[in-house]
Amino acid sequence: MTDMHLSDAIRYVGTDDTDIDLFESQYPVPNGVSYNSYVILDEKVAVMDTVDRRRTGEWLEKLEAVLAGRKPDYLVIQHLEPDHAGSIGALAERYPDMELVASAKAVQMLPKFYPACPNPTRAVKEGDTLALGRHSLTFVMAPMVHWPEVMVSYESAEKVLFSADGFGTFGAIAKDRLWIEEAGRYYFNIVGKYGAQVQALLKKAAGLDIAAIAPLHGPVLREDLGFYLGKYDQWSRYEPEEKDAVLVAHASIHGNTARAAAMLAEILESRGAKVKTADLCRCDQAEAVADAFRCGKAVFLSSTYDGGLFPPMEHFLLHLRDKTWRSRTVALVENGSWAPAAACRMRTILEGMRDIALFDEVHTIQGAVKEADRAALEKLADELLAK
Ligand code: FEO
């Protein structure tokens, strides 16, 4: 299993959560998630973030074992979202003299979650340092990665970047999965909206000598850091991982639109294209969102429903819009037995996104898929692959 301890002085006290049903009440996490927290033991003791209240008891036990009777001087709060800040109250109650160190925005927001917290607070700004002894933390503001109060912390003695949500991933530590397996689904759905802010943070990180990245979810990253930094650079610039790959995503009521999607995927693959497919009525839409970011091209096929767009497709496209999906080539296929209307609504949503090259021509299926539809889908595939 991944060793999460950075050293004898920087200890991991985070917890796994493998029985949560949905992260943020929306994302399936079949392999769980970890809430990472660390302790720096030096002349002064700093606790780096807390954990979700779902794991407060377990976290406090691990923390007390590492503290071995010492009291924390500081709790560094990098991010106030409850999956990390949910146990601040429990720790503050146990150590009322412990100073809470956070960005000015976090200090301002803290009473919204803990209106009666008695502990002293210290608001830090860009470049401020906190000397612990041999170890020293320098604070780097990272607003909107992924809330406005976020900061990251650089520990200079061991060259550790505590990166808050950045470089996090789904998956419990005990599941021992590779970072890349769920890092994309995590990034695009949690942080994907904030590409410009991630770029700003990457520029600051480029000036640091980093030996390890310690995020708030998932494994500590120690080797081949260029790979992880490169992924974040590519993702936050909204560049597809594969510009010629095609996402074929469909929402089908009775299976006819699904048959058209399968036919289109087969045609594309027969022409050598790499294709990812998504049945938006049944799949994990968070994975489909990630695939939409990974692919340079997409075809959306949807049934008409109640004179508009079938809700699973509407939900998906609105999610893409909210995550600022952009700079892709898109074609549309609709199905409508008497008054097809799905493409019109899909077009309206897509036209609200930035830099989407949307095919003017829409193919309309009326009920079952027929031979004439195959010819139209072949033409669509050829035109899409020629882009
Ligand atoms: Fe893992 Fe934005 O919280």
Side-chain angles (χ1 to χ4, degrees):
M1 194 172 91
T2 308
D3 181 9
M4 293 293 288
H5 300 299
L6 277 304
S7 66
D8 288 345
I10 305 181
R11 310 300 292 170
Y12 179 71
V13 292
T15 59
D16 277 348
D17 189 346
T18 51
D19 54 19
I20 187 170
D21 58 347
L22 294 169
F23 182 73
E24 286 190 358
S25 294
Q26 58 175 326
Y27 301 117
V29 281
N31 294 295
V33 65
S34 70
Y35 312 121
N36 295 352
S37 168
Y38 309 84
V39 182
I40 305 176
L41 299 166
D42 207 315
E43 292 165 26
K44 300 283 188 182
V45 175
V47 178
M48 305 299 292
D49 293 295
T50 74
V51 300
D52 192 287
R53 64 192 300 177
R54 292 168 50 82
R55 290 294 183 271
T56 301
E58 179 188 341
W59 173 71
L60 282 173
E61 272 182 33
K62 292 175 85 168
L63 178 60
E64 296 292 355
V66 166
L67 289 173
R70 296 185 68 182
K71 293 183 177 179
D73 299 280
Y74 307 107
L75 170 61
V76 176
I77 303 167
Q78 300 187 112
H79 186 14
L80 261 185
E81 193 165 8
D83 52 331
H84 310 293
S87 302
I88 290 175
L91 193 68
E93 191 176 315
R94 196 167 286 200
Y95 302 107
D97 297 330
M98 176 185 67
E99 194 171 1
L100 308 183
V101 180
S103 68
K105 186 71 176 174
V107 170
Q108 178 204 337
M109 289 170 64
L110 189 65
K112 296 179 180 179
F113 293 96
Y114 297 104
C117 188
N119 294 58
T121 57
R122 181 190 303 202
V124 292
K125 60 183 187 311
E126 181 81 21
D128 281 358
T129 58
L130 183 67
L132 303 174
R134 185 171 77 85
H135 296 83
S136 175
L137 292 168
T138 300
F139 301 109
V140 177
M141 300 301 116
M144 299 317 299
V145 186
H146 117 249
W147 274 19
E149 87 300 353
V150 172
M151 65 177 190
V152 303
S153 311
Y154 178 70
E155 198 293 300
S156 51
E158 301 193 38
K159 301 178 180 175
V160 177
L161 179 67
F162 294 94
S163 59
D165 271 345
F167 300 97
T169 185
F170 295 130
I173 302 301
K175 297 282 184 177
D176 213 15
R177 290 165 61 80
L178 294 174
W179 180 87
I180 194 63
E181 289 180 89
E182 296 202 63
R185 192 168 70 98
Y186 172 89
Y187 174 85
F188 295 121
N189 286 281
I190 307 293
V191 194
K193 181 181 177 74
Y194 305 110
Q197 292 83 353
V198 172
Q199 279 286 312
L201 179 58
L202 289 174
K203 284 190 175 63
K204 294 180 186 179
L208 300 171
D209 181 11
I210 301 170
I213 297 174
L216 287 177
H217 301 288
V220 168
L221 307 174
R222 293 182 175 85
E223 292 167 5
D224 200 11
L225 296 185
F227 170 78
Y228 306 107
L229 290 161
K231 280 288 176 199
Y232 260 56
D233 183 42
Q234 180 182 44
W235 292 344
S236 58
R237 283 189 281 110
Y238 298 94
E239 274 189 6
E241 291 184 342
E242 296 175 275
K243 72 181 180 56
D244 292 322
V246 184
L247 171 67
V248 176
H250 74 269
S252 179
I253 302 172
H254 296 295
N256 288 312
T257 307
R259 277 188 275 281
M263 183 181 284
L264 176 63
E266 174 218 306
I267 293 167
L268 286 163
E269 284 173 337
S270 74
R271 284 153 169 73
K274 179 161 184 183
V275 177
K276 292 177 182 284
T277 59
D279 174 354
L280 298 174
C281 302
R282 292 168 182 82
C283 72
D284 167 15
Q285 286 212 1
E287 186 60 47
V289 165
D291 280 342
F293 275 88
R294 291 179 183 119
C295 296
K297 300 173 182 179
V299 184
F300 300 130
L301 307 91
S302 182
S303 307
T304 298
Y305 186 81
D306 282 348
L309 185 57
F310 189 33
M313 178 61 80
E314 174 122 2
H315 178 262
F316 178 65
L317 293 181
L318 292 176
H319 202 156
L320 283 182
R321 185 195 66 187
D322 290 347
K323 297 303 172 187
T324 66
W325 187 69
R326 66 185 68 167
S327 308
R328 300 294 191 272
T329 301
V330 177
L332 302 177
V333 176
E334 65 180 354
N335 197 340
S337 305
W338 65 92
C344 179
R345 175 64 181 146
M346 287 195 280
R347 181 174 295 280
T348 298
I349 298 171
L350 288 158
E351 284 177 346
M353 301 184 198
R354 191 182 303 177
D355 193 21
I356 297 292
L358 188 54
F359 276 33
D360 290 332
E361 195 174 335
V362 169
H363 179 58
T364 300
I365 300 162
Q366 294 184 307
V369 179
K370 305 164 193 75
E371 264 317 298
D373 294 311
R374 170 175 280 279
L377 293 176
E378 285 177 345
K379 178 168 174 280
L380 184 156
D382 287 337
E383 289 175 358
L384 187 67
L385 297 181
K387 292 283 180 186

